[in-house]
C-alpha cells in the first residue's frame, strides 16, 4: 500500500494484541515497534539502550525523581519522551508501521494516517493464555493480568489526557475472543484497506 498508515494497538494483557500486531505488520511487510523500540532508538542514536529496559512503559517514581521547570530527572520520564519523539519522527518521515502501546494513540492523535485500536478479550481466555505462556496456575495468571493492566493504565494515564481503554479514544475496540487472533487480524486488515481506499 503506497499511502502511509500507522496502526496503534493498545491492548489488555493476554488479549493477543501483540500477536495481532505481528500479523498486521507481516501482512504489509512494515515495521512493528514494541519492546524492540529501545533497540531501534539505540541504533539511531548510537547508544546502548539496554540499561533503560527496566524503565520501559513504567510510571515515574515520585519518591526518587524531581521535576524542575517541567523537566523530570527520572529514567522513566526520559525514556517515555525518547519513545514519543521516535514515534513522531517515524510518522513525520512518512513511514508506515504498527506500534504496540507507548501512548501512540495519543502521541499521534492529530496524524491523519493513524488508525487506533484497543484489543480486549474475555477474562477466561486471557487467563488461560497467560497461564500457558507463563506456565503458572490460574490464580497466578489472574494476578499477573491485574498487575499488567494496572501498570498499562497508570502509564498511559500519566502521560495522556485520554483514558486507557475508554472506547471513545480509539477508532476501534475489538474483542479478540470473538474471531480469534487470526480472525481479528484479518478483520483489522480489512478495516485498514477500507480506511485507505
Amino acid at each position: 500500500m503506497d499511502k502511509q498508515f500507522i496502526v496503534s494497538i493498545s491492548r489488555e494483557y493476554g488479549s493477543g494484541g501483540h500477536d495481532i500486531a505481528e500479523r498486521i505488520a507481516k501482512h504489509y511487510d512494515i515495521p512493528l515497534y514494541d519492546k524492540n523500540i529501545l533497540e531501534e532508538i539505540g541504533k539511531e542514536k548510537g547508544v546502548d539502550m539496554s540499561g533503560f529496559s527496566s524503565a520501559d512503559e513504567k510510571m515515574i517514581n515520585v519518591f526518587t525523581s524531581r521535576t524542575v521547570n517541567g523537566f523530570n530527572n527520572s529514567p522513566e520520564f526520559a525514556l517515555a519522551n525518547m519513545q514519543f519523539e521516535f514515534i513522531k519522527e517515524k510518522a513525520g518521515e512518512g513511514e508506515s508501521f504498527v506500534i504496540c502501546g507507548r501512548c501512540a494513540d495519543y502521541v499521534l492523535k492529530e496524524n491523519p494516517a493513524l488508525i487506533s485500536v484497543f484489543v480486549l478479550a474475555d477474562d477466561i481466555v486471557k487467563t488461560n493464555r497467560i497461564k500457558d505462556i507463563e506456565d503458572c496456575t490460574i490464580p497466578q495468571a489472574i494476578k499477573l493480568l491485574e498487575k499488567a493492566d494496572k501498570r498499562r493504565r497508570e502509564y498511559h494515564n500519566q502521560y495522556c489526557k485520554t483514558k486507557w481503554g475508554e472506547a471513545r479514544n480509539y477508532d476501534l475496540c475489538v474483542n479478540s475472543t470473538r474471531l480469534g487472533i487470526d480472525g481479528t487480524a484479518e478483520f483489522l486488515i480489512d478495516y485498514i484497506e477500507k480506511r485507505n481506499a
Side-chain angles (χ1 to χ4, degrees), residues 24 60 62 74 76 79-80 93 98 134 144 157 162 170 175 183-184 195:
I24 294 169
I60 296 169
V62 294
S74 77
E76 295 86 2
L79 182 58
E93 290 165 1
V98 180
E134 299 294 340
L144 287 171
N157 294 351
T162 56
Y170 306 91
N175 186 328
T184 302
R195 271 283 297 268

Side-chain angles (χ1 to χ4, degrees), residues 145-159:
L145 285 164
E146 289 170 352
K147 184 177 177 183
D149 280 348
K150 181 175 186 248
R151 180 176 54 79
R152 287 177 178 176
R153 182 180 302 106
E154 288 175 344
Y155 174 81
H156 185 280
N157 294 351
Q158 183 172 58
Y159 290 103

Side-chain angles (χ1 to χ4, degrees), residues 45-169:
K45 297 191 177 293
V47 177
D48 179 12
M49 297 291 291
S50 58
F52 276 99
S53 60
S54 63
D56 189 23
E57 286 198 297
K58 299 275 176 30
M59 284 188 64
I60 296 169
N61 186 332
V62 294
F63 300 110
T64 60
S65 64
R66 282 185 60 203
T67 302
V68 178
N69 295 327
F71 294 98
N72 190 288
N73 70 341
S74 77
E76 295 86 2
F77 181 81
L79 182 58
N81 281 287
M82 268 192 274
Q83 291 182 7
F84 300 159
E85 287 308 311
F86 177 85
I87 294 164
K88 287 180 197 171
E89 282 172 20
K90 292 297 177 188
E93 290 165 1
E95 182 177 312
S96 291
F97 57 91
V98 180
I99 182 159
C100 289
R102 275 89 196 157
C103 300
D105 58 290
Y106 183 76
V107 171
L108 299 176
K109 69 181 180 352
E110 301 301 328
N111 191 311
L114 179 68
I115 297 169
S116 60
V117 179
F118 189 84
V119 180
L120 59 142
D122 291 354
D123 288 342
I124 189 65
V125 173
K126 292 187 298 181
T127 303
N128 283 322
R129 182 176 286 128
I130 296 308
K131 179 180 81 67
D132 293 341
I133 291 169
E134 299 294 340
D135 191 25
C136 63
T137 65
I138 290 285
Q140 288 170 328
I142 291 168
K143 284 184 182 175
L144 287 171
L145 285 164
E146 289 170 352
K147 184 177 177 183
D149 280 348
K150 181 175 186 248
R151 180 176 54 79
R152 287 177 178 176
R153 182 180 302 106
E154 288 175 344
Y155 174 81
H156 185 280
N157 294 351
Q158 183 172 58
Y159 290 103
C160 309
K161 291 180 181 174
T162 56
K163 298 296 181 190
W164 181 83
E166 191 172 291
R168 72 182 68 245
N169 300 322

Side-chain angles (χ1 to χ4, degrees), residues 1 5 7 9 19-30 98 115 117 172 174 179 181-197:
M1 192 181 297
F5 65 97
V7 182
I9 296 194
D19 294 337
I20 291 163
E22 279 184 334
R23 283 158 174 76
I24 294 169
K26 184 177 179 183
H27 177 83
Y28 289 108
D29 193 26
I30 57 175
V98 180
I115 297 169
V117 179
L172 285 173
V174 59
L179 299 176
I181 302 299
D182 289 332
T184 302
E186 288 167 15
F187 169 77
L188 293 175
I189 288 165
D190 185 54
Y191 179 79
I192 293 163
E193 297 289 332
K194 285 182 168 64
R195 271 283 297 268
N196 286 334

